[in-house]
């Protein structure tokens, strides 16, 4: 009886050992096949980019649709951000930079660091266009600079990221904002005049919220070293986009690839627009919302600004000038702003 029980016990032990051994073999097999699959996938992506045409297409961002779907895995998180300021030419700046063969950029403002942060980094990455090794991924959300919290998040995300800031004559920025908020509203709606909108007795506080660049730029400099931050002006971008592109290329450590034939001055629009016959134009059409026929940014850019009477102008200059001076001493350069030069 005892012998019989011992035999049964040995049989059960044998079965258990056999099961264990099979589990180990199966485990090894599954890990190996997974590993093989990953290797295989990345090889697939690399092989896709191997032919000279593929490489050229990918560098210029002109990927065929069928390839796009597969290369999308290759999207990278941004290593350069345009963080502000709204109404200061941020779209033109991002668009013109997208002319560079080594820069890719999503079409929309992603607002990850201030609005959609909870969606996580994988979501943020998924918003980026595909890029090849060595290309810079550039995202622009002009409201980042107005949030100290967003700036901290950017620092935590990548403390060596490159940041671009663009500013503009603050009084023109006020006019631009007014036009943005009220132009195209139905005649029946009560639109405040520019003077009313600038505020009555509470004018200073109202105006300073828009016109003080020094405070938000100071928040950037509290976190990031100066050499990682480029401050540009809308006026230079508007008058000489090529010169601004050269400055940005140097800042990003890129060889110059944007040329004067990439832009054309469009008389009716009153701005430089993309040259529709440039070989880079198909890439631009994918990354910037524009009028495809003219190559100019849409009607939301270059609106007619409200007039300012002389007494209001003088008042605004007196309020704003000290803030400009703070900005200039902080960034170590001055911008010639016509509203302030004249007074
Ligand atoms: N090349 C070119 N084409 C069109 N517009 C140009 C260009 N360069 C600079 N700008 C100026 O850009 C201003 C809009 O700024 P943003 O793009 O930063 O606006 S936004 O915050 O994204 O809404 C816009 O302001 P408004 O003129 O007040 O509409 C333009 O003056």
């Amino acid at each position: 009886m005892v012998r019989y029980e011992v035999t049964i016990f040995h049989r059960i032990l044998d079965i258990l050992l056999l099961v264990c051994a099979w589990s180990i073999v199966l485990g090894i097999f599954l890990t190996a096949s997974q590993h093989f699959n990953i290797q295989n996938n990345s090889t697939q992506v690399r092989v896709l980019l191997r032919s000279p045409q593929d490489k050229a297409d990918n560098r210029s961002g002109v990927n065929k649709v069928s390839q796009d779907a597969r290369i999308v895995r290759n999207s990278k998180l941004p290593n350069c951000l345009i963080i502000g300021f709204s109404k200061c030419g941020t779209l033109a700046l991002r668009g013109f930079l997208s002319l560079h063969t080594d820069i890719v950029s999503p079409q929309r403002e992603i607002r990850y660091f201030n609005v959609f942060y909870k969606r996580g980094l994988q979501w943020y990455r998924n918003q980026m266009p595909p890029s090849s090794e060595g290309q810079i991924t550039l995202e622009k959300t002009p409201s980042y600079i107005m949030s100290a919290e967003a700036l901290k998040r950017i620092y935590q995300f990548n403390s060596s990221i490159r940041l671009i800031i663009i500013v503009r004559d603050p009084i023109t920025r006020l006019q631009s904002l007014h036009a943005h908020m009220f132009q195209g509203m139905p005649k029946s709606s009560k639109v405040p005049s520019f003077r009313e909108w600038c505020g009555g007795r509470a004018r200073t506080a109202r105006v300073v919220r828009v016109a003080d660049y020094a405070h938000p730029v100071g928040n950037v400099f509290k976190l990031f070293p100066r050499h990682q931050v480029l401050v540009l002006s809308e006026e230079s971008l508007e008058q000489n986009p090529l010169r601004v592109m050269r400055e940005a290329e140097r800042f990003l450590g890129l060889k110059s690839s944007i040329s004067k034939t990439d832009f054309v001055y469009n008389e009716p629009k009153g701005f430089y627009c993309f040259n529709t016959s440039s070989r880079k134009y198909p890439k631009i059409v994918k990354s910037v919302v524009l009028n495809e026929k003219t190559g100019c940014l849409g009607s939301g850019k270059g609106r007619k600004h409200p007039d300012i009477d002389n007494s209001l102008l003088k008042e605004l200059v007196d309020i704003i000038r000290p803030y400009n001076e703070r900005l200039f001493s902080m960034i170590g350069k001055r911008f010639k702003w016509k509203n302030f030069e004249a007074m």
Side-chain angles (χ1 to χ4, degrees):
M1 183 67 179
V2 173
R3 238 189 108 168
Y4 176 73
E5 278 175 357
V6 169
T7 314
I8 297 250
F9 176 73
H10 276 143
R11 281 269 157 82
I12 293 172
L13 210 65
D14 283 351
I15 291 169
L16 280 175
L17 280 173
L18 208 67
V19 169
C20 281
W22 270 111
S23 308
I24 290 167
V25 171
L26 201 70
I28 291 171
F29 174 76
L30 283 176
T31 317
S33 68
Q34 239 175 10
H35 180 72
F36 177 77
N37 263 345
I38 290 167
Q39 293 267 321
N40 213 24
N41 282 346
S42 53
T43 315
Q44 223 175 7
V45 172
R46 261 185 271 125
V47 167
L48 266 172
L49 299 177
R50 201 165 284 163
S51 83
Q53 188 53 51
D54 284 346
K55 277 185 181 167
D57 281 354
N58 197 56
R59 282 173 73 79
S60 63
V62 189
N63 296 303
K64 293 181 197 85
V65 175
S66 61
Q67 286 179 3
D68 267 355
R70 297 165 86 181
I71 298 168
V72 94
R73 232 181 282 124
N74 224 13
S75 294
K76 290 192 221 68
L77 286 163
N79 36 10
C80 176
L81 298 174
I82 297 173
I83 55 173
F85 284 84
S86 61
K87 309 317 295 172
C88 292
T90 54
L91 181 63
L93 176 62
R94 184 183 69 73
F96 290 161
L97 280 172
S98 306
L99 285 164
H100 200 289
T101 44
D102 288 336
I103 297 181
V104 298
S105 165
Q107 214 184 43
R108 295 178 304 113
E109 290 173 8
I110 307 299
R111 296 184 291 156
Y112 170 66
F113 293 104
N114 54 351
V115 179
F116 298 114
Y117 196 61
K118 287 211 172 106
R119 296 192 179 179
L121 272 183
Q122 191 52 46
W123 176 85
Y124 190 36
R125 185 197 299 267
N126 290 344
Q127 311 312 306
M128 300 303 146
S131 57
S132 59
E133 209 58 40
Q135 276 187 315
I136 288 178
T137 301
L138 167 75
E139 193 245 322
K140 88 111 173 157
T141 295
S143 46
Y144 285 157
I145 199 163
M146 299 310 288
S147 157
E149 165 121 67
L151 294 176
K152 277 190 205 131
R153 287 169 174 172
I154 294 171
Y155 185 80
Q156 280 160 8
F157 159 68
N158 178 358
S159 60
S160 49
I161 197 160
R162 299 277 153 157
L163 302 175
I164 304 182
I165 299 170
I166 183 160
V167 293
R168 172 183 212 176
D169 182 322
I171 297 180
T172 317
R173 182 170 185 233
L174 279 163
Q175 291 171 289
S176 176
L177 265 176
H178 182 275
H180 174 80
M181 290 167 83
F182 304 112
Q183 252 172 45
M185 288 209 8
K187 286 242 156 50
S188 54
S189 51
K190 181 143 175 36
V191 171
S193 70
F194 184 66
R195 179 179 272 281
E196 284 164 346
W197 180 74
C198 282
R201 254 181 292 153
R203 174 159 303 151
T204 305
R206 186 75 189 277
V207 163
V208 165
R209 265 203 298 278
V210 177
D212 175 15
Y213 297 120
H215 181 72
V217 171
N219 286 341
V220 176
F221 285 159
K222 273 185 211 149
L223 293 167
F224 294 90
R226 305 288 165 109
H227 72 269
Q228 278 174 234
V229 185
L230 177 66
V231 184
L232 299 169
S233 88
E234 189 275 341
E235 290 76 12
S236 313
L237 181 72
E238 198 179 313
Q239 287 149 27
N240 193 342
L242 186 64
R243 200 172 59 202
V244 174
M245 291 305 106
R246 287 281 173 271
E247 195 177 345
E249 285 170 339
R250 278 196 301 276
F251 168 71
L252 295 171
L254 297 173
K255 61 177 176 18
S256 15
S257 117
I258 303 171
S259 76
K260 64 177 181 202
T261 54
D262 291 328
F263 315 100
V264 277
Y265 187 76
N266 183 300
E267 209 67 59
K269 180 80 179 170
F271 285 98
Y272 278 94
C273 298
F274 296 97
N275 181 358
T276 54
S277 32
S278 152
R279 69 186 164 79
K280 294 173 189 158
Y281 194 59
K283 179 191 176 196
I284 295 306
V285 168
K286 278 187 177 183
S287 59
V288 185
V289 176
L290 41 62
N291 178 328
E292 286 190 30
K293 272 198 195 131
T294 60
C296 295
L297 300 184
S299 57
K301 310 288 166 183
R303 291 189 176 101
K304 187 187 169 328
H305 290 170
D307 295 330
I308 315 182
D309 61 69
N310 270 341
S311 73
L312 177 61
L313 180 63
K314 186 172 176 337
E315 210 183 315
L316 292 177
V317 166
D318 289 344
I319 296 171
I320 298 169
R321 199 190 293 279
Y323 296 94
N324 292 351
E325 293 305 317
R326 270 204 7 229
L327 173 77
F328 298 154
S329 71
M330 196 179 275
I331 62 175
K333 63 178 169 185
R334 303 183 70 82
F335 297 118
K336 283 193 169 173
W337 284 332
K338 72 172 183 349
N339 287 308
F340 296 84
E341 295 285 306
M343 293 272 164

